[in-house]
Amino acid sequence: MKIGVLGGGQLARMLALAGYPLGLDFVVLEPAADACAAPLTRHIQAAYDDPAALQRLAAEVDLVTYEFESVPAAAVQQLGASLPVFPRADSLATARDRRHEKNLFRELGIETAPFALVHDLQTLQQAAEQIGLPAVLKTRTLGYDGKGQQVLRNGDSLQDAWDAIGQAPAILEGLIEFDREVSIIAVRSVSGEMAFYPLAENVHEQGILRLSTCLHGDSHQALAEDYAKRVLERLDYVGVLAIEFFQLGSHLLANEMAPRVHNSGHWTIEGAETSQFENHLRGILGLPLGSTAPVGHTAMINLIGELPHAPAILGIENTHLHLYGKAPRVGRKIGHITLRENTEQALQERISQLKNLI
Amino acid sequence: MKIGVLGGGQLARMLALAGYPLGLDFVVLEPAADACAAPLTRHIQAAYDDPAALQRLAAEVDLVTYEFESVPAAAVQQLGASLPVFPRADSLATARDRRHEKNLFRELGIETAPFALVHDLQTLQQAAEQIGLPAVLKTRTLGYDGKGQQVLRNGDSLQDAWDAIGQAPAILEGLIEFDREVSIIAVRSVSGEMAFYPLAENVHEQGILRLSTCLHGDSHQALAEDYAKRVLERLDYVGVLAIEFFQLGSHLLANEMAPRVHNSGHWTIEGAETSQFENHLRGILGLPLGSTAPVGHTAMINLIGELPHAPAILGIENTHLHLYGKAPRVGRKIGHITLRENTEQALQERISQLKNLI
């Protein structure tokens, strides 16, 4: 069985690493010559909207998935005409546009921060009055790692913010004074079987995820699973879905969702009985889903911008290094480290120890 | 950092899967076009003794290791002239010849079954008298999975046995009525650092390993580690070394050793904090070794000859499937399954459940 992946970055790389033991082979379509996944897959180097390349991919594989949501709709349509593509095209269309995403949350009774649509300076002005400041202006599509976002506070120039996001269609969202950011990784199979990982608590630095810690028995787990289940079922979703929440007292406010394996689920490689990568593959292939039970107490720290000194990292017991084969560059995720310990306290001590090294 | 591997079978495949997260790349040299490791590495398809291919490999990689011990000595010599090759050539030479291997065990005070050298029918006759029957006639080199072995019992024709092993230089070894077969996976780094995994108990069927179970706190652990340490230090060994023992009461009789990652250590992928594959790479690169502590109670079952029905296997909780991408063929190892449970009892129940499916 051959899986095609649109995108050849670290997510495709980790999908392939999880998939070879299942007897799968991988072909990635990715324009960059130095794609992370290229050394361990067959790499078709072409633009995502190159019809000839898409045709070649379709001819070689049995099933297509992707590692990012901004896949051109036409590409998904072309591939979908001849073979299964999961998650489905409409799941992708919903998740890649904050407007559709937020409307879906609302329809399903999932709380969100207050938001309003923005398509020019005038609607931005109206939105700011309606929502109140501080608020965050976010492009509807193509945002990630804090890109395409501007925080607006009283006295800030709306024009500057509008220019800063490239005058792209956007939403203005109330800035929530949350207690914590958490996320749930959920997975649904072609068969309808569902599974949910324990919530992760996420800490961002400069808009980029830095630390995810797997929570054991968190009081918000049931609510998060209920919300995720509503989305999975409404979309007849297939594969892994991540939903990020702001947690505020007993409330979870859905921030955004990602129709793919997600950075806040990388801890599952060592920290869960079955990783999110393997379960994504099991789900899209219609295989029974694997257990999402935690294995020990686990946290993941992203390596951003520069490579750490590997011997120092590996010298700390129970650290697991994951490098993506990417050249270091400011603000770029080039790897992550997973820490697994038998107790919560030991884990917190290791995190402190590790933070001094990176 | 690029690692060259002589051999592109399942061991090379699992080395690559363990090595990519460390940021390594892999080039395998292997004559078969359909090598298991080929889809996820760069594959130089050539004979192991092809000087031009070896030169190409040497030019591309920083360090060479191998997945089997029968590498032509000239190949190791050629590669060793220009780059590090681990385990060292003399470790390989010792491990691939039962004569040298047994003599080393003897020299180091490690118990073995009684044995005698055989190089013709006359010396076989003398050996049979000296050792007594039943005994096993084993070719000195190139034996694996029970190949190149003949059991001799009273009344058997020595001539037939001698012919059956191709009249190759051999040893005759007393057939031990052992209690159990166990093995230890040990690893030593370029720096001299050593680590030892918990013993595995091994069950063979028709000469091929079928089941390995990780033992917790076994009373023979200290003796096995002591024996392994003697070998590692004497050979100034670098990388993973496996030693198989017959256990007889409180005694461990060394049967053979393998200068590489070993089938009886595959359980470490899920069942130990750091897998044998990752620790082999850490060792040959001089990185700190990872913890060999067990994670739960683990066993590994080999898939021999035919592929199981994957959905049935994956439907059993806490099973981990490892397929090698090999075509099924009688007597061929085409994958393995790891089971991990929280208790010994749960593990034994799962093993029974799984055995009904394969």
Side-chain angles (χ1 to χ4, degrees):
Chain A
M1 178 75 91
K2 253 190 196 153
I3 310 289
V5 186
L6 296 180
Q10 64 261 28
L11 300 182
R13 180 176 166 108
M14 289 185 276
L15 277 171
L17 288 172
Y20 280 112
L22 296 175
L24 306 174
D25 282 311
F26 292 86
V27 182
V28 301
L29 176 68
E30 151 81 50
D34 62 347
C36 307
L40 56 148
T41 60
R42 167 156 152 61
H43 178 200
I44 298 178
Q45 192 189 342
Y48 299 119
D49 56 1
D50 174 339
L54 290 165
Q55 201 175 347
R56 258 198 297 157
L57 180 69
E60 283 192 34
V61 304
D62 303 291
L63 193 152
V64 168
T65 188
Y66 21 70
E67 60 145 26
F68 70 116
E69 50 270 47
S70 309
V71 180
V76 177
Q77 202 172 7
Q78 184 186 333
L79 292 168
S82 62
L83 76 178
V85 181
F86 294 125
R88 300 181 202 285
D90 56 346
S91 299
L92 207 67
T94 303
R96 89 170 136 228
D97 186 325
R98 292 187 195 277
R99 175 188 183 178
H100 302 318
E101 184 180 70
K102 297 277 188 196
N103 283 339
L104 178 72
F105 290 146
R106 272 199 181 159
E107 263 174 61
L108 295 172
I110 299 168
E111 285 191 272
T112 66
F115 67 92
L117 292 174
V118 171
H119 48 85
D120 55 20
L121 195 58
Q122 193 189 342
T123 46
L124 174 55
Q125 179 65 45
Q126 288 161 354
E129 281 161 23
Q130 182 195 330
I131 306 291
L133 297 186
V136 196
L137 184 63
K138 299 177 174 181
T139 56
R140 276 172 48 188
T141 61
L142 296 171
Y144 70 97
D145 286 353
K147 293 185 175 69
Q149 299 198 10
Q150 284 291 312
V151 175
L152 272 174
R153 298 182 192 279
N154 279 316
D156 284 353
S157 153
L158 296 186
Q159 178 73 57
D160 286 356
W162 180 235
D163 291 345
I165 64 158
Q167 304 193 350
I171 62 165
L172 187 71
E173 192 180 284
L175 190 70
I176 299 295
E177 288 287 320
F178 52 80
D179 298 336
R180 295 184 305 178
E181 290 183 272
V182 297
S183 60
I184 191 159
I185 307 292
V187 55
R188 186 167 177 272
S189 161
V190 178
S191 71
E193 185 188 0
M194 288 183 275
F196 306 90
Y197 287 91
L199 283 172
E201 177 176 347
N202 304 318
V203 177
H204 291 78
E205 281 176 13
Q206 295 164 329
I208 305 178
L209 182 66
R210 180 64 163 182
L211 171 69
S212 283
T213 308
C214 167
L215 301 174
H216 284 233
D218 191 85
S219 61
H220 303 84
Q221 183 73 31
L223 182 60
E225 290 188 13
D226 176 45
Y227 282 170
K229 195 172 168 220
R230 293 183 206 181
V231 175
L232 292 175
E233 290 186 334
R234 168 62 68 91
L235 295 175
D236 189 16
Y237 192 90
V238 176
V240 159
L241 174 82
I243 309 182
E244 294 183 272
F245 298 100
F246 299 125
Q247 183 241 312
L248 196 77
S250 63
H251 297 262
L252 290 178
L253 277 57
N255 176 28
E256 61 183 36
M257 65 187 190
R260 53 170 167 82
V261 289
H262 191 255
N263 196 169
S264 72
H266 290 0
W267 63 268
T268 60
I269 296 176
E270 288 89 8
E273 191 63 38
T274 313
S275 78
Q276 66 166 345
F277 301 98
E278 181 172 340
N279 260 338
H280 180 72
L281 295 168
R282 290 194 190 203
I284 64 177
L285 290 166
L287 292 167
L289 297 178
S291 163
T292 54
V295 177
H297 290 257
T298 310
M300 185 236 40
I301 297 185
N302 268 338
L303 297 169
I304 301 165
E306 52 188 323
L307 280 170
H309 183 55
I313 300 295
L314 295 173
I316 300 179
E317 220 179 335
N318 304 346
T319 56
H320 298 274
L321 184 59
H322 296 261
L323 297 178
Y324 305 151
K326 286 161 95 168
R329 190 198 301 157
V330 173
R332 194 182 205 197
K333 291 175 185 167
I334 53 175
H336 73 267
I337 295 165
T338 309
L339 292 162
R340 177 169 63 182
E341 294 290 339
N342 291 327
T343 66
E344 175 61 29
Q345 197 193 330
L347 177 64
Q348 292 305 328
E349 282 166 16
R350 288 278 188 233
I351 293 174
S352 306
Q353 197 180 346
L354 189 61
K355 275 189 174 165
N356 293 330
L357 289 176
I358 57 173
Chain B
M1 177 78 89
K2 254 191 196 148
I3 309 290
V5 186
L6 295 180
Q10 64 261 30
L11 301 181
R13 181 176 166 108
M14 289 185 275
L15 278 171
L17 288 171
Y20 280 112
L22 297 175
L24 306 174
D25 282 311
F26 291 86
V27 183
V28 301
L29 176 67
E30 152 79 52
D34 62 347
C36 308
L40 56 148
T41 60
R42 168 157 151 59
H43 178 200
I44 299 177
Q45 193 190 341
Y48 299 120
D49 56 1
D50 175 340
L54 289 164
Q55 200 174 349
R56 257 199 296 157
L57 179 68
E60 282 191 33
V61 304
D62 302 292
L63 193 151
V64 169
T65 188
Y66 22 69
E67 60 146 24
F68 70 116
E69 49 271 46
S70 309
V71 180
V76 177
Q77 202 173 7
Q78 184 186 332
L79 292 167
S82 62
L83 77 177
V85 181
F86 293 124
R88 299 182 202 285
D90 55 347
S91 299
L92 207 65
T94 303
R96 90 172 134 226
D97 186 324
R98 293 187 194 275
R99 175 189 183 175
H100 301 318
E101 185 181 71
K102 297 277 188 197
N103 284 338
L104 178 71
F105 291 147
R106 272 198 180 159
E107 264 175 61
L108 295 172
I110 299 168
E111 285 191 271
T112 66
F115 68 92
L117 292 174
V118 171
H119 48 86
D120 55 20
L121 194 59
Q122 193 190 345
T123 46
L124 174 55
Q125 179 65 47
Q126 289 162 354
E129 281 160 23
Q130 182 195 329
I131 306 292
L133 299 185
V136 196
L137 184 63
K138 299 178 174 180
T139 56
R140 276 172 48 188
T141 60
L142 295 172
Y144 71 97
D145 286 352
K147 294 185 175 70
Q149 300 198 9
Q150 285 291 312
V151 175
L152 273 174
R153 300 185 191 276
N154 280 316
D156 285 352
S157 153
L158 297 186
Q159 178 73 56
D160 287 355
W162 180 234
D163 291 344
I165 65 158
Q167 306 195 349
I171 62 165
L172 186 72
E173 193 180 282
L175 190 70
I176 299 295
E177 289 287 320
F178 51 79
D179 298 336
R180 296 185 303 179
E181 290 183 89
V182 297
S183 60
I184 190 159
I185 307 292
V187 54
R188 186 166 177 272
S189 161
V190 179
S191 71
E193 185 188 0
M194 286 182 277
F196 306 90
Y197 287 90
L199 282 172
E201 177 176 348
N202 304 319
V203 177
H204 291 78
E205 282 175 13
Q206 296 166 325
I208 305 178
L209 182 66
R210 181 64 164 182
L211 172 68
S212 283
T213 308
C214 167
L215 301 174
H216 284 232
D218 191 84
S219 61
H220 303 84
Q221 183 72 32
L223 181 60
E225 290 188 14
D226 176 46
Y227 283 170
K229 194 171 169 220
R230 292 183 208 181
V231 176
L232 292 175
E233 290 185 333
R234 168 64 68 90
L235 295 175
D236 189 16
Y237 192 89
V238 176
V240 160
L241 174 81
I243 309 182
E244 294 182 272
F245 297 99
F246 300 125
Q247 182 240 312
L248 197 75
S250 63
H251 297 262
L252 290 178
L253 277 58
N255 176 29
E256 59 181 40
M257 65 186 191
R260 53 170 166 81
V261 288
H262 191 255
N263 195 170
S264 71
H266 290 0
W267 63 269
T268 60
I269 296 176
E270 288 89 8
E273 191 63 38
T274 314
S275 78
Q276 66 165 345
F277 301 98
E278 180 171 340
N279 259 339
H280 179 72
L281 295 168
R282 290 194 190 203
I284 64 178
L285 290 166
L287 292 166
L289 297 178
S291 164
T292 55
V295 177
H297 291 258
T298 310
M300 183 235 44
I301 297 185
N302 268 339
L303 296 170
I304 301 166
E306 51 187 324
L307 280 170
H309 183 56
I313 299 295
L314 295 173
I316 300 179
E317 219 179 333
N318 303 346
T319 56
H320 298 274
L321 183 60
H322 296 262
L323 297 178
Y324 306 152
K326 286 162 96 168
R329 189 197 302 157
V330 173
R332 193 181 206 195
K333 290 176 186 167
I334 55 175
H336 73 267
I337 295 166
T338 310
L339 291 163
R340 177 168 62 182
E341 293 291 338
N342 290 328
T343 65
E344 175 60 28
Q345 197 194 332
L347 177 63
Q348 292 306 328
E349 283 165 15
R350 288 276 189 234
I351 293 173
S352 305
Q353 197 180 347
L354 190 60
K355 276 187 173 166
N356 293 329
L357 289 177
I358 57 173

